Amino acid sequence: MRSPSVQQAGNEFIVRLPAISTSYVRALMRADCFPALLPLFNLAHDPVKEISESYAAFDKLRPWQGEPLTAVHVGDGAHCRTAALFAFMTKHANVSVDPAIRMDKVRAWIAEHDVQRLYLANVKFEDLPLESLSGPLLLTFVHAHVDTDEVLARLEGKWRAAYVSACCEPHRQLSRGKVIEEGEDWAILSPQRRFQVVVP
């Protein structure tokens, strides 16, 4: 995606900004699973922001969607929104990892909508027993307040690709590993839209 640019033309400066896109929100709203996902996203302070952030992870990891992988969603938040979206939109087993998961609310939502392939790990990632993860793994770090490279090193040999979003601590969240795609995604409707796709 294009980045903002400034060009001088004589005594004037021309500033070009990429247009904000609503493509992720529109795509999810048109999906059959949207009515089921809406109650989880409506619990957010800014549902549109959350939808665009979670859908971005799904969109950027499309090249791996046809493979039989386990998707691990690190720091998925209280309502497991990214894992929930992946449970409907992929055939992956999905593990939502966050010590703040509202187990009562999410379990009730899973039962109400008969959600398959969504597993809850109400712990910090570093406390997650790695033997519980059957690889190969696909990873998302949409709101993860972790050192991404530390997590990837812990999973060495078990993961295929990771989506990373820098929401508030870019120096820890953005990877210094093998980045195959990165930039600002103007379909993420958030002040923070930097992302990476990382492979081993």
Side-chain angles (χ1 to χ4, degrees):
M1 295 199 176
R2 290 175 48 207
S3 298
S5 65
V6 179
Q7 179 182 7
Q8 186 169 3
N11 292 330
E12 298 180 343
F13 288 95
I14 300 169
V15 178
R16 292 187 174 87
L17 297 174
I20 296 290
S21 171
T22 60
S23 60
Y24 294 160
V25 175
R26 281 186 283 114
L28 188 60
M29 289 181 72
R30 290 178 175 148
D32 292 341
C33 61
F34 182 66
L37 288 169
L38 187 58
L40 287 185
F41 283 101
N42 271 344
L43 292 169
H45 173 70
D46 187 343
V48 171
K49 170 182 172 290
E50 298 286 337
I51 288 171
S52 67
E53 289 171 338
S54 292
Y55 198 93
F58 166 74
D59 185 70
K60 298 300 182 191
L61 293 175
R62 281 183 193 273
W64 295 272
Q65 302 299 9
E67 300 181 34
L69 304 172
T70 298
V72 180
H73 308 276
V74 181
D76 201 19
H79 300 105
C80 310
R81 295 180 186 103
T82 303
L85 185 150
F86 271 65
F88 277 107
M89 310 231 11
T90 74
K91 294 182 179 179
H92 305 315
N94 291 276
V95 182
S96 181
V97 183
D98 200 299
I101 293 174
R102 291 289 308 274
M103 298 295 282
D104 54 341
K105 286 187 178 292
V106 178
R107 282 181 174 155
W109 175 82
I110 288 171
E112 179 182 354
H113 298 282
D114 191 28
V115 181
Q116 306 297 310
R117 304 179 318 279
L118 176 55
Y119 308 97
L120 310 178
N122 192 23
V123 295
K124 291 182 178 179
F125 181 83
E126 54 265 34
D127 297 328
L128 184 70
L130 295 187
E131 62 273 12
S132 68
L133 301 176
S134 58
L137 306 176
L138 197 62
L139 302 163
T140 71
F141 299 82
V142 174
H143 292 292
H145 296 170
V146 298
D147 186 309
T148 299
D149 285 334
E150 284 183 9
V151 173
L152 297 179
R154 187 169 179 232
L155 294 171
E156 185 175 2
K158 294 190 76 165
W159 63 284
R160 294 288 311 281
Y163 171 86
V164 182
S165 174
C167 64
C168 52
E169 299 178 58
H171 63 285
R172 295 178 66 223
Q173 292 168 309
L174 292 175
S175 175
R176 296 169 297 283
K178 186 176 179 182
V179 177
I180 61 169
E181 185 180 0
E182 66 182 326
E184 293 197 33
D185 185 342
W186 291 84
I188 297 175
L189 304 179
S190 167
Q192 303 297 333
R193 53 180 58 92
R194 290 174 65 188
F195 78 94
Q196 295 175 320
V197 177
V198 186
V199 295

